[in-house]
Amino acid sequence: MPAIEVSAQPLHTSLARLWPTATWRDVRVAVAVSGGPDSVALVHLITSAKRAIGGRGDVAVLHFDHRVRGDASRRDAEWVRTLAEGLGLELVSKSSGSRGVRSEEALREERRAFYRRAADLLGARYLATGHTADDQAETVLFRLLRGTGLRGAAGIRPLAPLTETCALVRPLLDVTRAELLAYLADAGQTYRSDATNLDDAYARNWLRNQALPLLSERFASAAKELCGFAERAAETSDLVETLAAKLIERATEPPPTSETPPTLRSAVLAQSPQPLVVEALRLVWRQAGWPQQAMTAEHWRRLGEMATGATPRPAEVFPGGVRVERQGPMVVLAGPTATGSC
C-alpha cells in the first residue's frame, strides 16, 4: 500500500508552513495513528513528503489501544498494523493495562505516557499528531467556556516538548477535517470510525457534534475565527511570558534549587502590574511542576495579592498542597513534598 499520490499540494503546503521539511528530513519521525481519518491522512502526507524530500531520516508509526471499546479497539489496532505494513513503516503499539470507560484526562495521560516511552525507544526527534483546525476551534471554545486565561486561549500549539529529546508537532492545524476527508475520498483510502466520538456525554464531543455546527450555521467562519484568535492569543501569551520570566529573575532570591522552595522579593513584584505578577507566579508554578488544573481565577487573584500586599497575610495552602506565606519582605512558595519552616 503506497502512500497516497493524488494531488494534495495545498495540504503539503499547509504542513510545510507549520513544520518545514528541512527540520525533519534527516531525523526519525514518529506519527501517532489511531486509525481515524485525521491520523490516517497525516501518515500518508508525511510518508509521501518523505519520499519527495529524501534525507537520512525515516518514519515510524505509534498506536495505543485504550481498550475502551472491546473488540472494536482490538480491530483498530490490527487495522493500523496492516496500514503501517502497507506503507513499509515500523510500528510500535501497546494496549492499556486497564479496561472500560475512564475520564478524558486519564485517557490522555495514559496515551502521553506511552508516546514518551515509545519516542525514547525509537530515538524519534518528532512525534506528529493529526490535530486539525477543527480540533483547534473546539479546544479554544472548550477552554474559554471553562474560564481559561490567555495561555489557555492560545489553544493547541503547533510545537511543544514531549521529552527532553523529542518534540510534539501538530502540522495540520491549518487544515480542516473536511479537507482531509476529501483527500482520503479522492484516493479511496478507508479509515476507522470511533463510535465513542458520537457520545455527547463527553463535553468535547458535545461541542464538536452540536455546538460548533450550530455556531457555524449562524457564523460561517466561526471555526476559522476561533483559530485566528488562538494564534493572536499565542503571540500575546508568549510576550507576556517573556516579561514574566524577566520579573521572576529580578525578584528571585536566593536562586531556587531542588531542595529549596522558590522565594521572591515582594517589593520587586509590587512594582509590576498585577496581571504580570500573576503570570509570573503561574510560571513559577509550571516550572515547579505543581498542578494547575484546580487553580481558579480566584486562587490566582489571592495569590497575587498575597505576594504583593503591603500587609502580610496568614499562610495559605493552595490546590495541590502548595503552601504560600510571607516571611518578612519575602514570599515563599513550597510544594507538598517540601520541608522546613514553610
Side-chain angles (χ1 to χ4, degrees), residues 26-290:
D26 293 321
V27 299
R28 171 163 278 195
V29 171
V31 186
V33 180
S34 65
D38 302 345
S39 62
V40 171
L42 176 64
V43 73
H44 273 287
L45 286 165
I46 288 177
T47 304
S48 60
K50 178 63 185 171
R51 185 171 296 151
I53 64 175
R56 299 188 302 275
D58 61 359
V59 180
V61 169
L62 303 185
H63 177 78
F64 186 73
D65 176 4
H66 291 101
R67 300 176 75 188
V68 170
R69 296 178 294 116
D71 285 344
S73 293
R74 180 182 53 78
R75 289 193 295 271
D76 286 351
E78 293 173 351
W79 190 92
V80 171
R81 180 177 299 280
T82 300
L83 176 71
E85 290 174 353
L87 292 171
L89 304 179
E90 180 178 356
L91 171 70
V92 178
S93 63
K94 181 177 175 58
S95 296
S96 172
S98 303
R99 290 179 181 269
V101 177
R102 280 94 78 199
S103 70
E104 292 176 276
E105 185 64 26
L107 294 173
R108 188 178 304 110
E109 286 305 313
E110 195 176 19
R111 187 168 62 247
R112 278 289 187 94
F114 163 67
Y115 288 160
R116 287 190 288 267
R117 292 192 300 269
D120 286 342
L121 174 68
L122 289 168
R125 291 287 300 278
Y126 293 97
L127 170 64
T129 67
H131 291 89
T132 67
D134 299 73
D135 295 311
Q136 180 71 296
E138 170 194 318
T139 298
V140 172
L141 186 57
F142 179 69
R143 292 181 180 178
L144 288 173
L145 292 172
R146 292 186 63 188
T148 190
L150 185 63
R151 191 170 191 266
I156 304 169
R157 296 297 186 108
L159 196 68
L162 178 67
T163 70
E164 291 183 359
T165 57
C166 182
L168 188 63
V169 62
R170 291 96 166 198
L172 297 181
L173 286 178
D174 282 351
V175 180
T176 67
R177 185 166 292 115
E179 290 174 306
L180 294 181
L181 290 172
Y183 167 65
L184 294 173
D186 285 347
Q189 172 64 55
T190 60
Y191 51 84
R192 301 290 290 175
S193 295
D194 183 347
T196 63
N197 288 333
L198 301 177
D199 183 358
D200 290 344
Y202 292 103
R204 294 187 67 119
N205 283 357
W206 181 83
L207 286 173
R208 181 187 309 121
N209 300 329
Q210 304 293 334
L212 277 169
L214 285 173
L215 283 171
S216 297
E217 286 181 11
R218 180 62 64 92
F219 304 97
S221 61
K224 177 182 177 182
E225 296 303 333
L226 285 167
C227 291
F229 171 73
E231 284 201 33
R232 296 189 295 274
E235 292 170 355
T236 305
S237 176
D238 289 346
L239 173 60
V240 172
E241 191 164 312
T242 298
L243 296 174
K246 292 179 179 178
L247 176 57
I248 292 170
E249 186 177 345
R250 295 197 307 273
T252 301
E253 185 182 291
T257 69
S258 59
E259 299 177 354
T260 61
T263 304
L264 306 172
R265 293 193 294 275
S266 179
V268 175
L269 294 175
Q271 294 171 4
S272 294
Q274 194 72 356
L276 183 58
V277 172
V278 171
E279 187 57 39
L281 293 168
R282 288 181 191 269
L283 190 54
V284 169
W285 220 266
R286 290 197 296 273
Q287 290 172 344
W290 297 330

